[in-house]
Amino acid sequence: MSTLEIRDLQVSVKLPEGELKPILAGVDLTVKSGETHAIMGPNGSGKSTLAYSIAGHPKYEITGGQVTLDGDDVLAMTVDERARAGLFLAMQYPVEVPGVSVANFLRTAKTAIDGEAPKLRTWSGELRGAMERLHMDPAFAQRNVNEGFSGGEKKRHEIMQLELLKPKMAILDETDSGLDIDALRVVSEGVNRVRAGGDSGLLLITHYTRILRYIKPDFVHVFVAGKIVQEGGPELAEQLEAEGYERYVSAQV
Ligand SMILES: Nc1ncnc2c1ncn2[C@@H]1O[C@H](COP(=O)(O)OP(=O)(O)O)[C@@H](O)[C@H]1O
Ligand SMILES: [Mg+2]
């Protein structure tokens, strides 16, 4: 049983000139294992900033607040310490890693997170099974990470990592963007398998409601102008689908 606690988180983005532009204006959120939370908000509201800040991206400066995982100070950890502590981020725009094959990347990540190398015999089967479930050609294992992958292939690869690494807390940033309807279903099924395992807490970030037809969140948070402005259950996603963000956005200006 794990708990990710975000308290009054304030974050600025570091601009190239060295100035700080405030983005997150005090975010409070608690995610426990077995729970699925959706963060929904318009473009530019700071959703990716929240995801990157928890993961430890150097572009963002924390100017206030706390993030803890089971009481441990996440903000004091390096990026790889955060991963080893059980945090996982599926990025909105996954990066290409030339020269590193998918198979090597996954085995190295699994070894780092578990503290020991996975058993060769069972590992190759696990890898093959995960690729099969996500309808990925086995040839992907030998390709370089994300190099030349289509948008949908990148997202499947992110979900494959999620299934194999079994993090305590996973943040999925716009995992639905750029997916056609078949890929959306395959990716959603992968997320639902992880969810059914009950060991991970999931934070789904999205600006569309369509992924929520496949993955039913337990909690929905509306995110506007760097903070959560409304919270509710799955019915809130349906209301957003019908009405959009307009009333929340206009309340903020
Ligand atoms: N390097 C940057 N320079 C200026 N503004 C930035 C930079 N990076 C992010 N921002 C701004 O931060 C805000 C939040 O961005 P982001 O977290 O990506 O939003 P979302 O994921 O909700 O679309 C946006 O207004 C964006 O323009
Ligand atoms: Mg974003």
Side-chain angles (χ1 to χ4, degrees):
M1 182 70 192
S2 290
T3 307
L4 177 71
E5 270 201 67
I6 303 168
R7 285 291 156 265
D8 195 27
L9 187 64
Q10 296 158 45
V11 175
S12 293
V13 64
K14 294 178 197 163
L15 301 181
E17 315 86 66
E19 283 163 77
L20 292 178
K21 177 181 173 189
I23 308 286
L24 298 190
V27 177
D28 289 285
L29 182 66
T30 303
V31 183
K32 297 187 169 144
S33 9
E35 294 179 352
T36 300
H37 293 247
I39 292 206
M40 308 192 56
N43 277 321
S45 55
K47 304 182 302 299
S48 291
T49 301
L50 175 65
Y52 278 130
S53 303
I54 299 168
H57 194 295
K59 196 173 106 177
Y60 300 94
E61 180 147 318
I62 314 295
T63 55
Q66 290 100 39
V67 179
T68 57
L69 180 62
D70 299 329
D72 295 330
D73 183 0
V74 169
L75 300 177
M77 299 178 195
T78 61
V79 172
D80 63 302
E81 282 168 347
R82 294 179 202 211
R84 271 184 269 127
L87 287 171
F88 174 88
L89 171 63
M91 286 185 280
Q92 183 169 3
Y93 304 106
V95 291
E96 300 188 358
V97 191
V100 177
S101 72
V102 166
N104 261 331
F105 169 78
L106 289 169
R107 189 170 157 77
T108 305
K110 183 78 178 160
T111 304
I113 284 167
D114 292 359
E116 56 178 347
K119 303 257 175 319
L120 252 184
R121 205 185 297 153
T122 49
W123 174 247
S124 51
E126 265 187 70
L127 187 60
R128 213 175 321 115
M131 296 187 84
E132 244 170 58
R133 287 192 296 273
L134 288 162
H135 303 206
M136 291 176 80
D137 188 319
F140 269 93
Q142 300 316 319
R143 285 179 58 182
N144 291 335
V145 172
N146 289 322
E147 214 176 36
F149 286 23
S150 71
E153 288 163 350
K154 285 181 181 170
K155 300 291 163 139
R156 285 171 207 238
H157 177 239
E158 297 284 307
I159 301 307
M160 186 163 76
Q161 292 171 47
L162 176 66
E163 283 204 64
L164 290 167
L165 300 178
K166 301 183 176 66
K168 288 182 184 158
M169 289 291 154
I171 304 167
L172 310 180
D173 192 4
E174 306 264 354
T175 290
D176 47 346
S177 68
L179 296 182
D180 62 37
I181 199 74
D182 295 327
L184 180 63
R185 190 174 41 75
V186 167
V187 160
S188 301
E189 283 167 3
V191 174
N192 282 329
R193 281 192 294 274
V194 172
R195 183 183 188 184
D199 299 322
S200 302
L202 297 173
L203 189 55
L204 294 178
I205 295 177
T206 182
H207 69 275
Y208 291 124
T209 51
R210 59 174 204 160
I211 194 170
L212 304 180
R213 287 183 216 147
Y214 299 90
I215 305 167
K216 282 278 163 253
D218 304 304
F219 305 93
V220 174
H221 313 267
V222 182
F223 201 84
V224 174
K227 56 180 193 284
I228 292 170
V229 297
Q230 181 71 279
E231 298 179 288
E235 74 289 344
L236 184 52
E238 276 153 40
Q239 185 215 315
L240 288 169
E241 167 106 57
E243 299 174 11
Y245 297 117
E246 182 47 38
R247 59 188 266 213
Y248 299 108
V249 174
S250 50
Q252 291 303 308
V253 290

